[in-house]
């Protein structure tokens, strides 16, 4: 169920009119729905209810403290990929034993930090990293659970920039080399091998690549067990895609994904971990923006918004599509015209959509980018000295600013001058 719906002729976020938030907080602004976040978390939790499991939200998708706390209170663990994310998860009250530490290049400082604060497991991505974790854990007199992230050489059939499971990608250890790496891991002090980790990419819209990867994980589990390793936990990564358009896309549902996992891996009796990010946060957030000007160009009209590529980089970075809808509901018979929808940043790449058919929207009116909750606010920057835009969380008929817009002074005062100036 969608919690961003038209009601009485205008767009609502749950029970709050989006226009009311825009008036109170200004634009552009990210708006998230608590009900959607929780619903998506629970869909995964229920999809894995056939066995022991933990849904670890991949917090890189949207990592505001209020979002983390909302999910953590519902029972979610966290998948973190940096020391900063680890600190955020802890600050949101997530216990160390529900934090999985992923990421291609964990620094020694990050490893130490997680060992001090507690961690459910490290997902090891390379042999040198494995040796570093062993060394630090040993020096601290602890033993830490680990998995090895294997690269199954499977084509995730997604955008090249978010495919991670082919042998040419930088992620994980080639599955053919895995047995040797596990043998070394088992021999190293400070490490306790508990399982296998795999994550093949993001925005997967078919189940087949998951099935191929998980079949290889099942085979590897048997092979490792035969060699005496205790494989009790399988971390299957994230990556399930979401519909970015209303019409033609229908990616598999979490329940179907859960059934696939049971079919491919259920017989192994392992605890299952998954790390969904996009599917939990993506359709739980919109980006609300105001039309600054409508400019008539040569054979096309430009809708110039107050949001730009620095606020939502997905279209520029991944050619991503976002539905963009007027906040005032258009009449069903309203005539549509093509617009190039752009931001004010000095780059041609600052284009959200070309030739997009839209009902007429005028200067000063509000539009909403749908499906902007994941990889939106977290990837924003202050390019062009545009302030990071505020984030708002809605719950039923309430809303709260969960990250305020900084003032220009706050932005400028983060710089400091050297003595010679
Ligand atoms: C990015 C990432 C995820 C989340 O992917 P989604 O497509 O957002 O579900 C999970 N695990 C790892 C290791 C990742 O890098």
């Amino acid at each position: 169920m969608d919690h961003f719906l038209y009601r009485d002729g205008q767009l609502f976020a749950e029970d709050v009119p989006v226009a009311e938030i825009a008036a109170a907080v200004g634009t552009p602004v990210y708006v998230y729905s608590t009900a959607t976040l929780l619903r998506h978390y629970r869909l995964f939790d229920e999809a894995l209810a056939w066995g022991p499991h933990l849904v670890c939200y991949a917090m890189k998708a949207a990592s505001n403290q209020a979002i983390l706390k909302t999910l953590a209170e519902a029972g979610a663990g966290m998948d973190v990929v940096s020391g900063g994310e680890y600190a955020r998860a802890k600050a949101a009250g997530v216990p160390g034993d529900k934090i999985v530490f992923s990421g291609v290049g964990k620094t020694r400082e990050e490893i130490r930090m997680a060992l001090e604060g507690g961690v459910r497991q490290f997902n090891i991505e390379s042999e040198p990293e494995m040796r570093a974790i062993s060394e630090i854990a040993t020096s601290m007199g602890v033993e830490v659970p680990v998995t090895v992230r294997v690269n199954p050489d499977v084509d995730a059939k997604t955008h090249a920039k978010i495919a991670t499971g082919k042998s040419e990608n930088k992620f994980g250890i080639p599955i053919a080399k895995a047995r040797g790496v596990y043998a070394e891991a088992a021999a190293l002090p400070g490490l306790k091998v508990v399982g296998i980790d795999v994550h093949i990419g993001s925005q997967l819209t078919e189940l087949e690549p998951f099935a191929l990867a998980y079949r290889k994980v099942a085979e590897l589990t048997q092979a490792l067990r035969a060699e005496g390793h205790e494989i009790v936990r399988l971390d299957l990564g994230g990556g399930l895609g979401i519909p970015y358009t209303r019409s033609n896309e229908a990616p598999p549902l979490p329940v179907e994904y859960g059934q696939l996992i049971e079919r491919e891996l259920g017989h192994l009796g392992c605890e299952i971990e998954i790390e969904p990010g996009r599917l939990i946060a993506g359709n739980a957030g919109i980006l609300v923006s105001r039309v600054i000007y409508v400019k008539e160009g040569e054979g096309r009209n430009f809708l110039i918004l107050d949001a730009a590529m620095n606020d939502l980089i997905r279209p520029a970075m991944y050619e991503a599509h976002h539905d963009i809808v007027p906040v005032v509901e258009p009449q069903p018979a309203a005539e549509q015209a093509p617009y190039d929808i752009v931001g004010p940043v000095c780059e041609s790449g600052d284009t959200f959509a070309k030739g997009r058919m839209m009902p007429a929207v005028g200067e000063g009116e509000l539009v909403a980018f749908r499906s902007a909750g994941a990889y939106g606010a977290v990837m924003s920057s202050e390019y062009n000295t545009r302030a990071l835009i505020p984030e708002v969380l809605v719950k039923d008929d309430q809303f709260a600013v969960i990250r305020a817009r900084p003032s220009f002074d706050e932005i400028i005062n983060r710089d400091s001058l050297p003595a010679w100036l």
Side-chain angles (χ1 to χ4, degrees):
M1 157 156 194
D2 191 343
H3 292 279
F4 298 99
L5 290 174
Y6 288 117
R7 209 190 281 175
D8 310 324
Q10 57 167 325
L11 190 67
F12 274 66
E14 299 194 19
D15 299 327
V16 182
V18 167
E20 190 182 315
I21 298 172
V25 183
T27 57
V29 55
Y30 277 101
V31 178
Y32 305 96
S33 153
T34 298
T36 313
L37 288 168
L38 289 176
R39 179 182 136 78
H40 290 160
Y41 163 70
R42 289 185 183 129
L43 286 176
F44 279 115
D45 195 38
E46 286 159 16
L48 296 176
W50 50 265
H53 66 275
L54 184 66
V55 178
C56 295
Y57 170 58
M59 60 180 273
K60 73 174 194 267
S63 59
N64 187 289
Q65 290 294 291
I67 292 174
L68 302 186
K69 207 161 166 45
T70 297
L71 292 167
E73 282 182 1
M78 297 289 153
D79 174 55
V80 309
V81 292
S82 71
E85 285 195 352
Y86 179 84
R88 273 191 177 277
K90 292 288 279 194
V94 184
D97 65 4
K98 286 176 112 174
I99 303 176
V100 168
F101 209 130
S102 300
V104 174
K106 303 166 198 75
T107 66
R108 286 172 164 76
E109 291 69 34
E110 288 172 327
I111 293 166
R112 199 166 293 117
M113 177 181 185
L115 287 172
E116 276 164 7
V119 67
R120 179 179 181 80
Q121 87 214 17
F122 283 111
N123 293 334
I124 292 170
E125 293 239 10
S126 69
E127 289 149 289
E129 184 186 78
M130 170 172 75
R131 291 167 200 143
I133 295 171
S134 163
E135 209 179 285
I136 297 164
T138 310
S139 76
M140 292 171 63
V142 297
E143 193 180 58
V144 67
V146 296
T147 73
V148 174
R149 176 170 177 181
V150 294
N151 185 325
D153 195 20
V154 164
D155 183 356
K157 298 190 187 147
T158 184
H159 191 280
K161 284 185 184 159
I162 47 175
T164 60
K166 284 286 280 175
S167 54
E168 73 245 32
N169 302 130
K170 67 181 176 181
F171 301 93
I173 284 170
I175 199 158
K177 271 183 76 181
R179 286 161 66 188
V181 176
Y182 273 90
E184 184 179 346
L188 283 172
L191 307 182
K192 180 173 172 48
V193 171
V194 294
I196 304 171
D197 172 46
V198 68
H199 170 76
I200 57 173
S202 195
Q203 187 53 18
L204 272 72
T205 52
E206 296 168 36
L207 287 180
E208 186 62 16
F210 288 117
L212 292 173
Y214 296 169
R215 233 161 269 166
K216 293 190 178 186
V217 168
E219 280 167 26
L220 181 62
T221 304
Q222 308 280 24
L224 292 175
R225 283 179 173 170
E227 283 165 16
H229 299 285
E230 220 180 306
I231 304 297
V232 293
R233 208 180 269 180
L234 299 177
D235 182 336
L236 304 176
L240 195 58
I242 63 170
Y244 277 99
T245 58
R246 296 254 141 161
S247 42
N248 48 20
E249 258 179 297
L253 302 171
V255 62
E256 297 167 301
Y257 177 60
Q259 285 161 355
L260 170 110
I261 295 172
E262 183 176 18
R263 193 161 63 238
E264 300 294 341
L265 301 164
H267 61 284
L268 296 167
C270 289
E271 178 175 18
I272 300 293
E273 291 168 354
I274 54 168
E275 306 166 345
R278 188 188 305 273
L279 202 146
I280 289 182
N283 279 320
I286 58 172
L287 167 61
V288 183
S289 177
R290 204 176 282 283
V291 176
I292 312 177
Y293 299 114
V294 183
K295 175 160 101 171
E296 287 180 24
E298 208 52 69
R300 64 185 64 210
N301 290 333
F302 293 97
L303 215 54
I304 304 172
L305 303 183
D306 65 359
M309 64 189 292
N310 67 298
D311 305 311
L312 178 67
I313 205 170
R314 299 191 65 260
M317 187 139 128
Y318 313 115
E319 294 95 40
H321 171 100
H322 285 272
D323 279 354
I324 302 170
V325 299
V327 166
V328 172
E329 186 175 19
Q331 297 297 323
E335 222 173 288
Q336 306 224 340
Y339 288 97
D340 282 12
I341 304 176
V342 302
V345 159
C346 309
E347 304 231 4
S348 294
D350 186 22
T351 298
F352 292 118
K354 283 198 161 149
R356 180 72 63 86
M357 295 305 287
M358 290 267 292
V361 265
E363 204 172 300
E365 289 184 41
L366 295 169
V367 296
F369 290 68
R370 291 187 170 278
S371 317
Y375 308 105
V378 285
M379 291 181 108
S380 56
S381 76
E382 287 178 343
Y383 186 40
N384 280 206
T385 306
R386 293 167 47 85
L388 289 186
I389 68 179
E391 294 179 285
V392 164
L393 183 63
V394 174
K395 183 175 192 295
D396 305 320
D397 60 355
Q398 312 170 64
F399 72 90
V401 174
I402 56 173
R403 185 180 74 189
R405 191 191 310 276
S407 68
F408 292 141
D409 278 346
E410 285 172 299
I411 296 173
I412 295 163
N413 289 337
R414 286 205 309 262
D415 297 357
S416 50
L417 294 173
W420 62 86
L421 286 175

